[in-house]
């Protein structure tokens, strides 16, 4: 079982739709959660980060963490064609010997006008 | 504010050639990282530097060496390039280990 699972998609939605992107993880030592957006042929860009269970909102984006279920989500409201990108979840393993971020493989999102 | 700057952006090498990828950050971050990104494999950590003067292996260090030249700069060296090292390489930095990382724009390397 991989440490972080993320559906690769591709996910295609119409403009204005609500998008839900998800990751599951297997290790309860993961305590710090991030979402990155990566446009084609660009570097990942930090979108949101959170330590705690519950919701964190930033404009059209909401990050949700459920530590009891080991499940995190990113919701995008009123999706726009400019949201078309690959979305990567990432988390820090405080129980690991290496101090690094563990990334999901990314979900490719396409928002159609 | 440039953030994380990588050079070069593109490179083609012949098998057996060597090269160094350069990375510099201007955010006064303590920690720096080198990742490679391959289709279907996601981002994999090659080496990281928790702070100036220290470096440690990540998930896929074989065939690479690194140097933390100073607080700003962290270079990645391929001593004898192999086709399996064809990839997109990303440098990243964070204020401290285990905090959110900021990425450069990547270096697309092809080894023929």
């Amino acid at each position: 079982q991989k440490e972080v699972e993320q559906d690769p998609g591709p996910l295609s939605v119409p403009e204005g739709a609500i998008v839900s992107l998800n990751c599951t993880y297997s290790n309860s030592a993961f305590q710090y959660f991030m979402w990155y957006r990566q446009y084609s042929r660009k570097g990942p860009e930090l979108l949101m980060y959170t330590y705690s269970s519950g919701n964190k909102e930033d404009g059209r984006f909401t990050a949700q963490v459920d530590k009891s279920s080991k499940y995190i989500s990113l919701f995008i409201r009123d999706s726009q064609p400019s949201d078309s990108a690959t979305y990567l979840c990432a988390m820090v393993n405080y129980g690991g010997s290496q101090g690094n971020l563990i990334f999901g493989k990314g979900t490719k999102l396409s928002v159609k006008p | 504010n440039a953030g994380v700057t990588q050079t070069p952006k593109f490179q083609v090498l012949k098998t057996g050639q060597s090269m160094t990828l350069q990375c510099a950050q201007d955010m006064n971050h303590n920690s720096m990282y080198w990742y490679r990104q391959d289709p279907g494999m996601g981002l994999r950590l090659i080496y990281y530097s928790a702070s100036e003067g220290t470096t440690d292996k990540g998930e896929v260090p074989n065939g690479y060496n690194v140097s933390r030249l100073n607080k700003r700069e962290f270079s990645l060296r391929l001593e004898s390039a192999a086709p399996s090292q064809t990839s997109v390489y990303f440098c990243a930095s964070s204020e401290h280990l285990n905090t959110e990382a900021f990425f450069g724009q990547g270096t697309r390397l092809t080894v023929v």
Side-chain angles (χ1 to χ4, degrees), chain A residues 10-102:
Chain A
L11 181 62
S12 183
V13 301
E15 184 175 355
I18 296 174
V19 176
S20 172
L21 303 164
N22 310 296
C23 287
T24 59
Y25 60 98
S26 57
N27 190 336
S28 58
F30 291 164
Q31 296 291 321
Y32 184 24
F33 307 94
M34 284 153 259
W35 285 96
Y36 285 81
R37 177 176 62 196
Q38 185 175 21
Y39 291 115
S40 180
R41 305 181 82 83
K42 300 290 187 184
E45 169 194 12
L46 180 67
L47 270 180
M48 298 184 72
Y49 60 92
T50 181
Y51 283 102
S52 53
S53 283
N55 294 350
K56 181 177 181 180
E57 197 171 310
D58 183 1
R60 295 185 296 110
F61 298 90
T62 299
Q64 186 177 79
V65 174
D66 182 347
K67 289 185 180 179
S68 62
S69 301
K70 298 188 181 66
Y71 189 89
I72 67 171
S73 299
L74 178 70
F75 298 97
I76 307 174
R77 289 185 300 280
D78 187 25
S79 56
Q80 302 295 309
S82 58
D83 295 327
S84 298
T86 296
Y87 290 81
L88 304 156
C89 63
M91 46 200 79
V92 177
N93 180 1
Y94 284 102
S97 58
Q98 296 177 357
N100 63 285
L101 300 181
I102 309 296

Side-chain angles (χ1 to χ4, degrees), chain A residues 32 36 38 42 99-100 105, chain B residues 37 40 45 90 97 100-101 105:
Chain A
Y32 184 24
Y36 285 81
Q38 185 175 21
K42 300 290 187 184
N100 63 285
K105 293 184 179 179
Chain B
Q37 187 175 41
L45 183 67
F90 289 103
L97 209 57
E100 58 277 16
Q105 291 302 293

